[in-house]
Amino acid sequence: YTHVVVDKSPGEDDVGLMDKAFVANVQKKDATARMTCQMFVPNDESNPGSYQGVQQYELDVVPLKEEDTPHVNFCIWVDPESGKASYVPISSRVQLSIGRPLKKKNYKMNVSRRQMDDNDRREMEERIALVDADMEEKLNAADTGASAGVSQNKPVLNDDDDDSDDSDHDVSFMNKSKPVVAED
């Protein structure tokens, strides 16, 4: 999940629609330039997929979690009716700055939703397991059951020194949940 900060709202008429807004058309012109994007808000209440471009922004992504450290930023939802609270970790913050009107007027797009598939659900569960011990146990049990006969407790090789005389043979390069992929 990502926290989005907007330094300039698109306009008084569109502020109430920002909870349903989309950021789209993210671009980076060259290596030294900042990324730019456009904000789209609902256009027509009778057509829920119709969106109108209202503002252009500079986009910066700020990581909130350092690698190999636990999450420290969370989004918490409280349901007063049921008395329950839920939370998810926030890995980054998107800063939308230098808001300005779009040059192209009446810039419209249609947006539709798709159903979550098993891969989407698995990815969401893995993210929740980073901060929820019960979910982590559930996923580890599912992984162990799904790989009947295959040991999930292979040693993980952390070879930072390529000059060592130790052999890398007979040691798995597999993490418990994700394979390590070598790239050229």
Side-chain angles (χ1 to χ4, degrees), residues 56-101:
Q56 183 162 328
Y57 291 97
E58 301 290 324
L59 182 143
D60 293 305
V61 179
V62 180
L64 297 176
K65 179 187 180 298
E66 293 181 19
E67 194 170 326
D68 298 330
T69 61
H71 285 276
V72 293
N73 296 283
F74 300 91
C75 184
I76 300 172
W77 291 282
V78 178
D79 182 1
E81 293 177 7
S82 67
K84 293 183 180 180
S86 303
Y87 65 94
V88 294
I90 300 175
S91 300
S92 59
R93 179 182 76 222
V94 172
Q95 179 79 36
L96 302 179
S97 57
I98 313 175
R100 57 200 175 275

Side-chain angles (χ1 to χ4, degrees), residues 140-160:
N140 287 340
D143 285 345
T144 304
S147 60
V150 177
S151 173
Q152 291 291 315
N153 296 321
K154 295 179 181 178
V156 176
L157 181 61
N158 206 355
D159 187 12
D160 294 332

Side-chain angles (χ1 to χ4, degrees), residues 46-173:
S46 64
N47 181 2
S50 176
Y51 283 78
Q52 170 75 41
V54 291
Q55 196 88 329
Q56 183 162 328
Y57 291 97
E58 301 290 324
L59 182 143
D60 293 305
V61 179
V62 180
L64 297 176
K65 179 187 180 298
E66 293 181 19
E67 194 170 326
D68 298 330
T69 61
H71 285 276
V72 293
N73 296 283
F74 300 91
C75 184
I76 300 172
W77 291 282
V78 178
D79 182 1
E81 293 177 7
S82 67
K84 293 183 180 180
S86 303
Y87 65 94
V88 294
I90 300 175
S91 300
S92 59
R93 179 182 76 222
V94 172
Q95 179 79 36
L96 302 179
S97 57
I98 313 175
R100 57 200 175 275
L102 290 174
K103 292 177 185 176
K104 182 178 178 182
K105 299 293 182 196
N106 296 320
Y107 188 25
K108 296 180 179 160
M109 76 161 51
N110 289 318
V111 178
S112 62
R113 294 186 180 264
R114 65 173 175 81
Q115 292 293 324
M116 285 180 67
D117 61 16
D118 291 336
N119 291 335
D120 295 329
R121 284 186 195 87
R122 177 69 180 179
E123 180 181 347
M124 185 176 69
E125 288 172 352
E126 286 175 358
R127 288 180 180 217
I128 292 170
L130 293 173
V131 295
D132 187 337
D134 294 334
M135 181 61 80
E136 183 178 22
E137 284 180 25
K138 176 184 166 187
L139 287 178
N140 287 340
D143 285 345
T144 304
S147 60
V150 177
S151 173
Q152 291 291 315
N153 296 321
K154 295 179 181 178
V156 176
L157 181 61
N158 206 355
D159 187 12
D160 294 332
D161 182 11
D162 289 337
D163 297 331
S164 71
D165 293 333
D166 298 331
S167 173
D168 293 341
H169 301 292
D170 299 320
V171 180
S172 172
F173 284 86

